[in-house]
Amino acid sequence: MKIALGADHGGFQLKETIKAWLVEQGYETEDKGTYDEASCDYPDFGEAVARDVAAGKADRGILVCGTGIGISISANKVRGIRAALCGDTFSARMCRLHNDANVLALGQRVTGAGLALDIVEIWLHTDFEGGRHKTRVDKIMKIEEA
Ligand code: RB5
């Protein structure tokens, strides 16, 4: 599975930690930046990762900013993207089971690295349940057509 990664300066450190863990686990990664802690704009990276996932260049995306809020809002503007901001493992599991979230967002200033890695692991290992949840996800995606 190929994972696209993105962060602003507020999420850079956690993005690096997640990238190292993913590589260690054998995942292919595509780092869309940022590449240092110089101040930058989270929409640029939210969009870059979202576009890779939407185009099928990556299977999933992981985004980090200070809170995870701005970068998840940005990613959700791209057609085909369902970005979920998670700060706990229950939400990480549920956003896969029920919402088929294809992008995970985290807040470096909110969630510690240990918990963040647990969230990432659960999110990567949980499959979409389909069934009645597919009907609902289809309705979400139809909103984009309006
Ligand atoms: C950057 O200071 C901060 O605003 C950004 O990382 C994020 O938290 C925005 O939602």
Side-chain angles (χ1 to χ4, degrees), residues 26-142:
Y27 289 96
E28 192 184 344
T29 60
E30 172 80 30
D31 188 348
K32 308 299 282 187
T34 189
Y35 304 111
D36 57 37
E37 287 183 293
S39 185
C40 58
D41 302 327
Y42 57 80
D44 298 338
F45 307 98
E47 182 182 5
V49 165
R51 293 224 179 270
D52 265 21
V53 173
K57 291 184 191 162
D59 300 295
R60 304 262 196 99
I62 298 177
L63 293 169
V64 192
C65 69
T67 58
I69 296 170
I71 208 156
S72 59
I73 292 173
S74 307
N76 276 318
K77 297 294 178 192
V78 174
R79 190 177 285 263
I81 294 305
R82 293 175 299 280
L85 170 57
C86 295
D88 62 273
T89 53
F90 180 74
S91 299
R93 184 175 297 108
M94 296 310 289
C95 78
R96 288 291 311 135
L97 286 172
H98 287 191
N99 313 118
D100 198 15
N102 50 11
V103 172
L104 171 67
L106 295 152
Q108 178 183 293
R109 296 173 185 156
V110 183
T111 306
L115 175 56
L117 291 178
D118 277 357
I119 288 170
V120 168
E121 185 168 23
I122 287 168
W123 184 74
L124 287 171
H125 291 160
T126 307
D127 291 329
F128 181 44
E129 239 174 43
R132 69 184 188 282
H133 301 295
K134 176 156 183 351
T135 308
R136 294 164 187 165
V137 170
D138 286 347
K139 283 195 178 187
I140 295 175
M141 303 328 285
K142 260 201 126 171

